[in-house]
Amino acid sequence: MLTLLVGAAVAGGVMLLLTGVRVLQEYERAVVFRFGRARKELASPGLNLLLPFGIDRMRVVDTRTRAIQIAPQEIITHDNISISVDAVVYASVASPSHAVLEVEEFLPATLQLASTTLRAVLGKMDLDDILAHRDAINGEVRGILDTRTEQWGVEISAVEIKDIQLPKEMQRAMARQAEAERERRAKVIAAEGEVQAASKLAQAAEMIAAHPGALQLRLYQTLVEVSGEASSTIVFPLPIDLGGMGGGGATPAQIQSMMQSAVALAASQQAAKALGTANEKNQTYKPVFAPWSASASASIERWKPAQIPYCVRIVR
């Protein structure tokens, strides 16, 4: 009988000891209250033995970083524009004792403080500054929160603004503003290009003026380039100073010969390119000279060489 009593007592003692056993994870810390007073030593990860019958009570705190979602906040900016902003706060417990003893619930308290701080910071700024300086806003809000939550044993590692919702009217106004800005930049770039092109053309004119033969060579090159295009009529004005050809004024026969050479070159280029399509469509090309006529040939000698306008037409 005595043996049974001793065995029952031992079993009861073991059960009482087992009720006081607590196992903590690596990321957990616990504040132990003995008769309602917090002990200075925190319960560490692993196996912890507590006194039974409610003598020791444990309050477990998770020390991992938590993401605290801030609900969308309706904010009126400094320039009286209503926006909706939501953000996320990353916080962790640096001091479990302060997180348990200094505040009732540190997570809801941190969330409420983050919401009011975000509204206070954004309410002092204009909309353009809010959209352009998100990083600065995140840093300012984090600094304020970290200072205020330090007494709670909570450390704020980061604050990030997730989204800024603008009214539809403001979105359309900003789109028009951005479009007008792009048009302004395009016009400025085009104007700068015109200025640069005018400068280069002035330099080219000076070089051609110093070498009169360059204008005639450039004219022949243009004739060859344009002759390759499939157009029905190609007109070339030729204001060439023919007075320097051969030391004397050019005769109508010389001008006629020059024009025939130019037309023959252009016609050969055009015929070589359009050989395949010309056979299918039965197209023919013939050179036509203008203003050549009997009256023009008779009166051309009375024209000044530098003012004679000639043109070559290639008619399909």
Side-chain angles (χ1 to χ4, degrees):
M1 186 67 181
L2 180 62
T3 304
L4 292 177
L5 292 176
V6 172
V10 172
V14 172
M15 292 297 295
L16 289 175
L17 290 176
L18 291 177
T19 57
V21 174
R22 297 289 186 274
V23 178
L24 297 181
Q25 303 296 329
E26 181 65 30
Y27 51 83
E28 292 178 334
R29 302 293 184 273
V31 178
V32 179
F33 293 90
R34 177 167 295 175
F35 294 110
R37 296 181 63 87
R39 301 184 61 183
K40 294 182 179 180
E41 297 82 6
L42 297 176
S44 59
L47 186 64
N48 294 271
L49 295 178
L50 304 178
L51 296 179
F53 303 110
I55 297 176
D56 287 346
R57 295 184 179 275
M58 180 181 290
R59 181 79 177 273
V60 181
V61 178
D62 193 334
T63 59
R64 292 177 295 181
T65 300
R66 299 187 181 185
I68 304 175
Q69 176 67 41
I70 301 178
Q73 302 292 315
E74 294 293 335
I75 301 172
I76 299 178
T77 62
H78 187 264
D79 50 353
N80 297 324
I81 298 176
S82 178
I83 60 175
S84 177
V85 181
D86 59 339
V88 60
V89 178
Y90 296 92
S92 60
V93 177
S95 176
S97 298
H98 288 81
V100 173
L101 301 177
E102 299 296 335
V103 63
E104 182 179 1
E105 295 289 342
F106 66 91
L107 281 180
T110 303
L111 175 60
Q112 295 298 324
L113 181 60
S115 301
T116 56
T117 303
L118 181 64
R119 297 181 65 174
V121 171
L122 296 183
K124 299 183 296 183
M125 304 178 65
D126 294 337
L127 178 61
D128 292 340
D129 296 335
I130 294 174
L131 297 177
H133 304 95
R134 285 196 180 188
D135 293 338
I137 296 173
N138 295 335
E140 183 178 356
V141 174
R142 176 188 175 278
I144 297 174
L145 286 178
D146 200 18
T147 303
R148 298 285 298 275
T149 59
E150 184 179 1
Q151 58 185 343
W152 301 340
V154 178
E155 180 181 359
I156 306 299
S157 57
V159 176
E160 296 292 338
I161 295 178
K162 294 178 61 178
D163 190 18
I164 299 177
Q165 295 291 337
L166 301 177
K168 297 298 182 181
E169 297 78 6
M170 183 57 61
Q171 293 180 12
R172 289 192 291 267
M174 294 179 65
R176 291 194 299 268
Q177 179 183 1
E179 184 178 359
E181 178 66 20
R182 288 193 295 268
E183 291 180 357
R184 183 189 68 83
R185 293 180 181 178
K187 291 180 180 179
V188 169
I189 294 175
E192 292 178 353
E194 292 292 340
V195 172
Q196 296 177 3
S199 176
K200 296 299 182 181
L201 288 175
Q203 296 179 8
E206 293 178 357
M207 296 178 63
I208 292 177
H211 304 280
L215 181 60
Q216 186 172 356
L217 295 177
R218 177 58 181 162
L219 195 58
Y220 288 156
Q221 181 182 358
T222 303
L223 179 63
V224 173
E225 293 175 356
V226 180
S227 63
E229 298 181 0
S231 59
S232 59
T233 303
I234 305 175
V235 180
F236 297 96
L238 305 177
I240 305 175
D241 186 1
L242 301 176
M245 297 178 58
T251 63
Q254 292 176 337
I255 298 174
Q256 180 75 10
S257 175
M258 180 191 69
M259 298 301 295
Q260 289 178 348
S261 300
V263 171
L265 177 61
S268 62
Q269 296 274 347
Q270 184 73 10
K273 184 176 182 180
L275 182 58
T277 58
N279 294 331
E280 296 177 0
K281 298 181 180 179
N282 294 323
Q283 295 178 340
T284 58
Y285 298 86
K286 59 179 180 178
V288 178
F289 303 95
W292 299 108
S293 62
S295 59
S297 300
S299 59
I300 193 171
E301 295 181 355
R302 298 194 298 270
W303 295 350
K304 293 182 180 180
Q307 298 178 353
I308 300 177
Y310 303 101
C311 64
V312 178
R313 289 195 305 163
I314 300 177
V315 181
R316 186 177 298 178

